[in-house]
Amino acid sequence: MMDPRLEDHAVGLELQIVELEERRQRALVQGRVDDAARIEREEETLRTELASTADLLAS
């Protein structure tokens, strides 16, 4: 049986990634390249955590 808290964590990570992607796109449109790069790094960190969480859910 899957841990519902782990499932909730995965959904939360997905929502955070979507929000960061929207912020990154706004930063790019506004010409804030440094902010966009920083946000992209945050996204990548969350994607890595999401992959780890997915592995836990799959096992």
PDB file of all heavy atoms in Angstrom, residues 13-32:
ATOM      1  N   LEU A  13       5.074  18.699  -4.909  1.00  0.00           N
ATOM      2  CA  LEU A  13       6.249  19.000  -5.723  1.00  0.00           C
ATOM      3  C   LEU A  13       5.849  19.376  -7.142  1.00  0.00           C
ATOM      4  O   LEU A  13       6.386  20.330  -7.709  1.00  0.00           O
ATOM      5  CB  LEU A  13       7.203  17.795  -5.750  1.00  0.00           C
ATOM      6  CG  LEU A  13       7.945  17.503  -4.449  1.00  0.00           C
ATOM      7  CD1 LEU A  13       8.638  16.141  -4.549  1.00  0.00           C
ATOM      8  CD2 LEU A  13       8.930  18.595  -4.126  1.00  0.00           C
ATOM      9  N   GLU A  14       4.904  18.638  -7.695  1.00  0.00           N
ATOM     10  CA  GLU A  14       4.437  18.955  -9.046  1.00  0.00           C
ATOM     11  C   GLU A  14       3.854  20.364  -9.117  1.00  0.00           C
ATOM     12  O   GLU A  14       4.133  21.112 -10.055  1.00  0.00           O
ATOM     13  CB  GLU A  14       3.392  17.935  -9.494  1.00  0.00           C
ATOM     14  CG  GLU A  14       3.959  16.559  -9.747  1.00  0.00           C
ATOM     15  CD  GLU A  14       2.900  15.505  -9.985  1.00  0.00           C
ATOM     16  OE1 GLU A  14       1.726  15.730  -9.598  1.00  0.00           O
ATOM     17  OE2 GLU A  14       3.241  14.459 -10.550  1.00  0.00           O
ATOM     18  N   LEU A  15       3.064  20.729  -8.123  1.00  0.00           N
ATOM     19  CA  LEU A  15       2.474  22.071  -8.090  1.00  0.00           C
ATOM     20  C   LEU A  15       3.547  23.148  -7.977  1.00  0.00           C
ATOM     21  O   LEU A  15       3.464  24.199  -8.632  1.00  0.00           O
ATOM     22  CB  LEU A  15       1.473  22.178  -6.938  1.00  0.00           C
ATOM     23  CG  LEU A  15       0.200  21.344  -7.088  1.00  0.00           C
ATOM     24  CD1 LEU A  15      -0.607  21.387  -5.796  1.00  0.00           C
ATOM     25  CD2 LEU A  15      -0.615  21.821  -8.269  1.00  0.00           C
ATOM     26  N   GLN A  16       4.546  22.893  -7.154  1.00  0.00           N
ATOM     27  CA  GLN A  16       5.641  23.853  -7.012  1.00  0.00           C
ATOM     28  C   GLN A  16       6.400  24.017  -8.327  1.00  0.00           C
ATOM     29  O   GLN A  16       6.778  25.138  -8.694  1.00  0.00           O
ATOM     30  CB  GLN A  16       6.603  23.410  -5.917  1.00  0.00           C
ATOM     31  CG  GLN A  16       6.052  23.550  -4.519  1.00  0.00           C
ATOM     32  CD  GLN A  16       7.057  23.070  -3.494  1.00  0.00           C
ATOM     33  OE1 GLN A  16       8.172  23.585  -3.433  1.00  0.00           O
ATOM     34  NE2 GLN A  16       6.683  22.062  -2.712  1.00  0.00           N
ATOM     35  N   ILE A  17       6.617  22.925  -9.022  1.00  0.00           N
ATOM     36  CA  ILE A  17       7.328  22.973 -10.302  1.00  0.00           C
ATOM     37  C   ILE A  17       6.537  23.801 -11.313  1.00  0.00           C
ATOM     38  O   ILE A  17       7.113  24.629 -12.032  1.00  0.00           O
ATOM     39  CB  ILE A  17       7.612  21.549 -10.827  1.00  0.00           C
ATOM     40  CG1 ILE A  17       8.654  20.863  -9.935  1.00  0.00           C
ATOM     41  CG2 ILE A  17       8.072  21.576 -12.282  1.00  0.00           C
ATOM     42  CD1 ILE A  17       8.789  19.365 -10.158  1.00  0.00           C
ATOM     43  N   VAL A  18       5.225  23.595 -11.368  1.00  0.00           N
ATOM     44  CA  VAL A  18       4.381  24.364 -12.288  1.00  0.00           C
ATOM     45  C   VAL A  18       4.467  25.854 -11.948  1.00  0.00           C
ATOM     46  O   VAL A  18       4.618  26.699 -12.842  1.00  0.00           O
ATOM     47  CB  VAL A  18       2.918  23.862 -12.244  1.00  0.00           C
ATOM     48  CG1 VAL A  18       1.989  24.822 -12.954  1.00  0.00           C
ATOM     49  CG2 VAL A  18       2.821  22.468 -12.838  1.00  0.00           C
ATOM     50  N   GLU A  19       4.377  26.182 -10.677  1.00  0.00           N
ATOM     51  CA  GLU A  19       4.454  27.589 -10.260  1.00  0.00           C
ATOM     52  C   GLU A  19       5.808  28.196 -10.629  1.00  0.00           C
ATOM     53  O   GLU A  19       5.884  29.323 -11.130  1.00  0.00           O
ATOM     54  CB  GLU A  19       4.224  27.701  -8.759  1.00  0.00           C
ATOM     55  CG  GLU A  19       4.414  29.095  -8.205  1.00  0.00           C
ATOM     56  CD  GLU A  19       3.438  30.130  -8.759  1.00  0.00           C
ATOM     57  OE1 GLU A  19       2.322  29.756  -9.157  1.00  0.00           O
ATOM     58  OE2 GLU A  19       3.805  31.322  -8.785  1.00  0.00           O
ATOM     59  N   LEU A  20       6.875  27.465 -10.396  1.00  0.00           N
ATOM     60  CA  LEU A  20       8.200  27.970 -10.744  1.00  0.00           C
ATOM     61  C   LEU A  20       8.353  28.164 -12.243  1.00  0.00           C
ATOM     62  O   LEU A  20       8.969  29.137 -12.693  1.00  0.00           O
ATOM     63  CB  LEU A  20       9.290  27.039 -10.213  1.00  0.00           C
ATOM     64  CG  LEU A  20       9.547  27.113  -8.716  1.00  0.00           C
ATOM     65  CD1 LEU A  20      10.507  26.000  -8.294  1.00  0.00           C
ATOM     66  CD2 LEU A  20      10.101  28.472  -8.317  1.00  0.00           C
ATOM     67  N   GLU A  21       7.794  27.250 -13.014  1.00  0.00           N
ATOM     68  CA  GLU A  21       7.862  27.381 -14.471  1.00  0.00           C
ATOM     69  C   GLU A  21       7.156  28.661 -14.928  1.00  0.00           C
ATOM     70  O   GLU A  21       7.664  29.386 -15.793  1.00  0.00           O
ATOM     71  CB  GLU A  21       7.245  26.155 -15.154  1.00  0.00           C
ATOM     72  CG  GLU A  21       7.232  26.227 -16.656  1.00  0.00           C
ATOM     73  CD  GLU A  21       8.605  26.358 -17.295  1.00  0.00           C
ATOM     74  OE1 GLU A  21       9.609  25.943 -16.696  1.00  0.00           O
ATOM     75  OE2 GLU A  21       8.669  26.883 -18.419  1.00  0.00           O
ATOM     76  N   GLU A  22       6.013  28.944 -14.333  1.00  0.00           N
ATOM     77  CA  GLU A  22       5.298  30.182 -14.675  1.00  0.00           C
ATOM     78  C   GLU A  22       6.126  31.413 -14.284  1.00  0.00           C
ATOM     79  O   GLU A  22       6.214  32.378 -15.045  1.00  0.00           O
ATOM     80  CB  GLU A  22       3.941  30.212 -13.987  1.00  0.00           C
ATOM     81  CG  GLU A  22       2.979  29.196 -14.559  1.00  0.00           C
ATOM     82  CD  GLU A  22       1.694  29.073 -13.762  1.00  0.00           C
ATOM     83  OE1 GLU A  22       1.540  29.762 -12.724  1.00  0.00           O
ATOM     84  OE2 GLU A  22       0.836  28.276 -14.179  1.00  0.00           O
ATOM     85  N   ARG A  23       6.734  31.361 -13.115  1.00  0.00           N
ATOM     86  CA  ARG A  23       7.582  32.482 -12.674  1.00  0.00           C
ATOM     87  C   ARG A  23       8.787  32.652 -13.589  1.00  0.00           C
ATOM     88  O   ARG A  23       9.179  33.771 -13.921  1.00  0.00           O
ATOM     89  CB  ARG A  23       8.042  32.255 -11.236  1.00  0.00           C
ATOM     90  CG  ARG A  23       6.948  32.471 -10.209  1.00  0.00           C
ATOM     91  CD  ARG A  23       7.385  32.189  -8.798  1.00  0.00           C
ATOM     92  NE  ARG A  23       8.652  32.822  -8.470  1.00  0.00           N
ATOM     93  CZ  ARG A  23       9.451  32.407  -7.494  1.00  0.00           C
ATOM     94  NH1 ARG A  23       9.114  31.370  -6.743  1.00  0.00           N
ATOM     95  NH2 ARG A  23      10.580  33.023  -7.245  1.00  0.00           N
ATOM     96  N   ARG A  24       9.369  31.529 -14.018  1.00  0.00           N
ATOM     97  CA  ARG A  24      10.531  31.586 -14.907  1.00  0.00           C
ATOM     98  C   ARG A  24      10.154  32.209 -16.244  1.00  0.00           C
ATOM     99  O   ARG A  24      10.887  33.058 -16.785  1.00  0.00           O
ATOM    100  CB  ARG A  24      11.118  30.187 -15.107  1.00  0.00           C
ATOM    101  CG  ARG A  24      12.436  30.187 -15.865  1.00  0.00           C
ATOM    102  CD  ARG A  24      13.014  28.795 -15.967  1.00  0.00           C
ATOM    103  NE  ARG A  24      12.266  27.949 -16.861  1.00  0.00           N
ATOM    104  CZ  ARG A  24      12.379  27.977 -18.204  1.00  0.00           C
ATOM    105  NH1 ARG A  24      13.216  28.813 -18.782  1.00  0.00           N
ATOM    106  NH2 ARG A  24      11.662  27.171 -18.947  1.00  0.00           N
ATOM    107  N   GLN A  25       9.011  31.809 -16.769  1.00  0.00           N
ATOM    108  CA  GLN A  25       8.555  32.374 -18.040  1.00  0.00           C
ATOM    109  C   GLN A  25       8.316  33.877 -17.921  1.00  0.00           C
ATOM    110  O   GLN A  25       8.692  34.639 -18.817  1.00  0.00           O
ATOM    111  CB  GLN A  25       7.271  31.669 -18.511  1.00  0.00           C
ATOM    112  CG  GLN A  25       7.486  30.244 -18.962  1.00  0.00           C
ATOM    113  CD  GLN A  25       8.403  30.144 -20.166  1.00  0.00           C
ATOM    114  OE1 GLN A  25       8.401  31.000 -21.040  1.00  0.00           O
ATOM    115  NE2 GLN A  25       9.223  29.109 -20.192  1.00  0.00           N
ATOM    116  N   ARG A  26       7.710  34.319 -16.816  1.00  0.00           N
ATOM    117  CA  ARG A  26       7.496  35.753 -16.606  1.00  0.00           C
ATOM    118  C   ARG A  26       8.821  36.482 -16.531  1.00  0.00           C
ATOM    119  O   ARG A  26       8.979  37.575 -17.087  1.00  0.00           O
ATOM    120  CB  ARG A  26       6.692  36.002 -15.325  1.00  0.00           C
ATOM    121  CG  ARG A  26       5.205  35.819 -15.498  1.00  0.00           C
ATOM    122  CD  ARG A  26       4.418  36.372 -14.326  1.00  0.00           C
ATOM    123  NE  ARG A  26       4.780  35.818 -13.045  1.00  0.00           N
ATOM    124  CZ  ARG A  26       4.266  34.727 -12.498  1.00  0.00           C
ATOM    125  NH1 ARG A  26       3.338  34.052 -13.138  1.00  0.00           N
ATOM    126  NH2 ARG A  26       4.647  34.316 -11.314  1.00  0.00           N
ATOM    127  N   ALA A  27       9.782  35.898 -15.840  1.00  0.00           N
ATOM    128  CA  ALA A  27      11.098  36.524 -15.719  1.00  0.00           C
ATOM    129  C   ALA A  27      11.745  36.678 -17.093  1.00  0.00           C
ATOM    130  O   ALA A  27      12.333  37.722 -17.394  1.00  0.00           O
ATOM    131  CB  ALA A  27      11.992  35.708 -14.779  1.00  0.00           C
ATOM    132  N   LEU A  28      11.627  35.659 -17.924  1.00  0.00           N
ATOM    133  CA  LEU A  28      12.204  35.739 -19.269  1.00  0.00           C
ATOM    134  C   LEU A  28      11.531  36.825 -20.099  1.00  0.00           C
ATOM    135  O   LEU A  28      12.208  37.595 -20.778  1.00  0.00           O
ATOM    136  CB  LEU A  28      12.085  34.390 -19.974  1.00  0.00           C
ATOM    137  CG  LEU A  28      13.027  33.293 -19.476  1.00  0.00           C
ATOM    138  CD1 LEU A  28      12.674  31.957 -20.115  1.00  0.00           C
ATOM    139  CD2 LEU A  28      14.475  33.660 -19.736  1.00  0.00           C
ATOM    140  N   VAL A  29      10.208  36.890 -20.030  1.00  0.00           N
ATOM    141  CA  VAL A  29       9.470  37.910 -20.783  1.00  0.00           C
ATOM    142  C   VAL A  29       9.876  39.303 -20.325  1.00  0.00           C
ATOM    143  O   VAL A  29       9.990  40.227 -21.129  1.00  0.00           O
ATOM    144  CB  VAL A  29       7.940  37.690 -20.627  1.00  0.00           C
ATOM    145  CG1 VAL A  29       7.153  38.893 -21.108  1.00  0.00           C
ATOM    146  CG2 VAL A  29       7.515  36.427 -21.365  1.00  0.00           C
ATOM    147  N   GLN A  30      10.138  39.444 -19.035  1.00  0.00           N
ATOM    148  CA  GLN A  30      10.515  40.738 -18.474  1.00  0.00           C
ATOM    149  C   GLN A  30      12.007  41.023 -18.609  1.00  0.00           C
ATOM    150  O   GLN A  30      12.483  42.057 -18.153  1.00  0.00           O
ATOM    151  CB  GLN A  30      10.095  40.815 -17.001  1.00  0.00           C
ATOM    152  CG  GLN A  30       8.594  40.768 -16.819  1.00  0.00           C
ATOM    153  CD  GLN A  30       8.175  40.618 -15.368  1.00  0.00           C
ATOM    154  OE1 GLN A  30       9.008  40.453 -14.472  1.00  0.00           O
ATOM    155  NE2 GLN A  30       6.880  40.658 -15.122  1.00  0.00           N
ATOM    156  N   GLY A  31      12.739  40.105 -19.207  1.00  0.00           N
ATOM    157  CA  GLY A  31      14.168  40.321 -19.415  1.00  0.00           C
ATOM    158  C   GLY A  31      15.022  40.100 -18.177  1.00  0.00           C
ATOM    159  O   GLY A  31      16.181  40.502 -18.149  1.00  0.00           O
ATOM    160  N   ARG A  32      14.486  39.422 -17.191  1.00  0.00           N
ATOM    161  CA  ARG A  32      15.239  39.141 -15.959  1.00  0.00           C
ATOM    162  C   ARG A  32      15.910  37.770 -16.083  1.00  0.00           C
ATOM    163  O   ARG A  32      15.507  36.793 -15.478  1.00  0.00           O
ATOM    164  CB  ARG A  32      14.308  39.213 -14.751  1.00  0.00           C
ATOM    165  CG  ARG A  32      13.715  40.598 -14.527  1.00  0.00           C
ATOM    166  CD  ARG A  32      12.806  40.678 -13.297  1.00  0.00           C
ATOM    167  NE  ARG A  32      11.595  39.882 -13.488  1.00  0.00           N
ATOM    168  CZ  ARG A  32      11.231  38.850 -12.719  1.00  0.00           C
ATOM    169  NH1 ARG A  32      11.970  38.473 -11.694  1.00  0.00           N
ATOM    170  NH2 ARG A  32      10.117  38.190 -12.964  1.00  0.00           N
TER     171      ARG A  32
END
